[in-house]
Structure formats: structure tokens, C-alpha cells
Amino acid sequence: MAAPMTPDQWLKALREEGVTDIVEMPGWRTNNRNHVAAWGPVHATMVHHTAGEGSGLPNFCFNGTSDLPGPLCHDFLARSGRLYLVGNGRTNHAGRVASNAYDAVLNERATHPKPGPDALDGNTVSYGLEVENSGAVGRDWPAKQYDVAVRVEAARCRHHGWSADSVWAHKEATRRKPVDPRIPMDQFRDDVAERLAHDVSWNPGDTNQEEDMPITDADAEKIARKVLTIDGVIANPVSGTDNSHIALMTSARNIEIVVRRLETKEAAQTAVITALASKVGSGDDTAEIVAAVQKAIADAVIKVDVDINGGGAA
Ligand SMILES: [Zn+2]
């Protein structure tokens, strides 16, 4: 459960996360739909595309239409990378959402399933970012725009102590919006998780000693022990007024996500090499070898998932 951020908290979090090109639309601090229904507690933050492009979009998002009154989001992100602050409070961005999709963000699950039928009010529980994109197949997100989108979602997660698995797309939340937006969301969440695993001042491409050195088994064990120790601290906080355990918990969760994905990747690579080696000189045709490799990858990924989820990790 988290109380929604105040306008000042949001501005501060954005600036700390490196979002510098910000337009505060006049009245955004009190532009909301709180008079219609509840806002908060919040548990998630949603990515949308606008399904249209143009300079009128900030005002459109602010005002909405007679059928769908504004604000239509909390923030509007132009293709230039400029972020417009549109509303604070309840906004008309999500509509009704599926309960399995909500369960995935609420409990920060590693997988975000295809949404079932609409079941609950998404506007009460989720922030919403609208990203300017036509939605046409192949229409890109410029690098700057994508980077700011990652920073916006990371800023919300970091403030609340959430992992990147609190980020969802409109297409993951309801069957009504199957391509909103078209970007691969697991990759987007990986990019948010990478930000969260670093200090707030980190920029993509920054190098440091940690990343230049290969992780040895001993290092991996140390990291794992650290995560478990931090989890122990969190389970028994010494002081109820000390918020440092929230920051530690966020780091721990995001380290876990990164480690889990690295482990999956490594296991799959090992399985491929093993499968290929066993087929050398076997006389099997290409299709059989491909099938054997695909099965090896699938088995490896399942095994890692079972190992991790069966290990009692938080
Ligand atoms: Zn949407």
C-alpha cells in the first residue's frame, strides 16, 4: 500500500532521476478526477501510447473530451523527450482492468500474464504515463524519449520502494488495448530494473568497476548472501521510523531480478552448447538439431525458475 506522491514529491523524484526537460502545465497540481471516485492507495504505474501524434496532445491529455474528461494521464511524454506534467490525483487513463494483471503488479510477479476479463477500476490504483506514438507498426520510440520513459517509471518505483515489476502496460492490463503500447514490456521492465539497481544519478552506458569485471561464483554467492541478509533486516526492522529499510528492500528486489535474468540467460546458453555438442557428427538433419536445442533452452529456463521460486526467496 502506498499513499500517492504529492506534486512536490513527484517533481523532486523526476529531477533526481535525471528528467530535466519538464513542462508544468498550468493547474496540473490540482487537475484530477478525485471528485468522481477514489484515488489511491497506489500499487502500480502504467505505460501507454497516445495512438496519435501532434502538438495538441498536451492540451488534449489535460482536458480530455466530453465523453472522456481529462486529465487522461499524469504525464505526457513528447517524441522530443519533453515531459509535460498533466495531472495529480485520479486520472482517466486506464479504465477497468483485469484482476490477473492487477495481481501481477500488486505482488510484483516476474511474469505478467495475458489479461483476463476487466474486473476492477485501474484509475484508483495506478499512475499513468502517455507516450507520444502513433501506434503504427514499426513506428519507433526515439532513444531520448525511451530513456525518459524509463526514468519516469523508475522514479515512481524508487520513491515507493517498488520493483520494476510494478510497471505494466495498458495492453497487459486489459483486452481492450491489445497493442498499447507496442514496445516489448519485459525489456522495458529490465531497463527500469537496471536503473533501480544503480544510484539515482546513473546513466545508461556509464561504466564502473563493478560492471567491467566478470562476476565469479564467489561474487555471486556474496551478492546472494547480501540479499538474504537485507531481507532478514527488513523482516525485523529495528526502528519503525527509519525508512532506510525501504531503500534496501528496493535494491534487494532489483538485484534479485537482475540475478534471476542473468542466471536464466547463462543456463540457456549452457544448455544450447551442450545440446549442440551432443549432435556433432550425429548425422541428424538441421530440423532435429534445432528442435533439440529449443527443448534444451525451454528445460533450462524452467529449471532456473523452479530453483529460484522453490528456494524460499522473498
Ligand atoms: Zn492506454
Side-chain angles (χ1 to χ4, degrees):
M1 177 183 293
M5 299 166 82
T6 66
D8 284 341
Q9 284 175 327
W10 183 220
L11 263 176
K12 182 169 178 283
L14 281 171
R15 289 182 177 135
E16 285 176 353
E17 204 72 47
V19 181
T20 53
D21 191 358
I22 298 173
V23 173
E24 293 189 62
M25 295 187 75
W28 77 275
R29 287 164 181 267
T30 53
N31 189 28
N32 60 52
R33 307 263 307 149
N34 293 0
H35 52 289
V36 176
W39 167 235
V42 286
H43 300 287
T45 179
M46 188 178 285
V47 184
H48 304 256
H49 66 199
T50 48
E53 297 177 11
S55 59
L57 281 171
N59 281 328
F60 179 76
C61 287
F62 192 96
N63 296 315
T65 65
S66 53
D67 286 345
L68 189 66
L72 303 183
C73 55
H74 293 89
D75 343 86
F76 166 76
L77 176 56
R79 286 183 68 76
S80 65
R82 175 167 291 172
L83 187 72
Y84 292 78
L85 303 189
V86 172
N88 184 264
R90 180 187 174 87
T91 72
N92 249 338
H93 70 97
R96 296 188 69 75
V97 297
S99 47
N100 64 335
Y102 179 55
D103 171 76
V105 283
L106 178 65
N107 294 296
E108 302 191 322
R109 302 198 191 286
T111 52
H112 295 259
K114 285 200 187 315
D118 291 339
L120 55 103
D121 179 355
N123 293 330
T124 296
V125 295
S126 181
Y127 299 102
L129 168 70
E130 282 284 358
V131 179
E132 183 182 14
N133 185 284
S134 70
V137 174
R139 181 60 165 158
D140 71 326
W141 288 33
K144 171 73 179 169
Q145 186 189 35
Y146 184 89
D147 176 64
V148 174
V150 170
R151 287 173 194 266
V152 166
E153 300 301 19
R156 288 198 174 107
C157 291
R158 206 187 292 271
H159 174 88
H160 288 303
W162 295 342
S163 84
D165 282 312
S166 286
V167 180
W168 54 348
H170 209 181
K171 69 180 175 186
E172 294 174 317
T174 174
R175 295 171 179 174
R176 291 177 288 109
K177 301 282 181 176
V179 299
D180 179 8
R182 287 192 188 274
I183 58 165
M185 285 303 296
D186 283 339
Q187 178 63 54
F188 187 87
R189 276 184 286 269
D190 277 355
D191 292 333
V192 172
E194 186 173 19
R195 275 211 72 76
L196 293 173
H198 289 87
D199 185 77
V200 71
S201 63
W202 178 81
N203 293 304
D206 280 0
T207 53
N208 59 40
Q209 209 183 6
E210 226 177 0
E211 287 182 337
D212 289 340
M213 286 164 51
I215 297 177
T216 64
D217 286 353
D219 288 339
E221 193 185 330
K222 271 186 220 159
I223 292 169
R225 283 185 193 284
K226 207 169 211 173
V227 170
L228 292 175
T229 309
I230 291 168
D231 276 351
V233 170
I234 289 153
N236 305 289
V238 177
S239 159
T241 58
D242 178 6
N243 280 334
S244 62
H245 68 281
I246 293 175
L248 287 173
M249 187 164 68
T250 309
S251 302
R253 281 187 185 156
N254 287 292
I255 289 167
E256 279 185 86
I257 288 172
V258 171
V259 169
R260 184 173 60 220
R261 286 179 180 152
L262 284 173
E263 283 176 340
T264 304
K265 206 179 273 182
E266 193 189 336
Q269 284 168 347
T270 306
V272 166
I273 292 163
T274 308
L276 282 174
S278 75
K279 291 292 177 185
V280 170
S282 68
D284 286 354
D285 69 21
T286 308
E288 282 176 58
I289 293 174
V290 168
V293 168
Q294 283 172 339
K295 182 175 183 310
I297 293 172
D299 289 349
V301 170
I302 289 164
K303 182 174 182 309
V304 168
D305 204 36
V306 169
D307 284 352
I308 288 164
N309 291 324

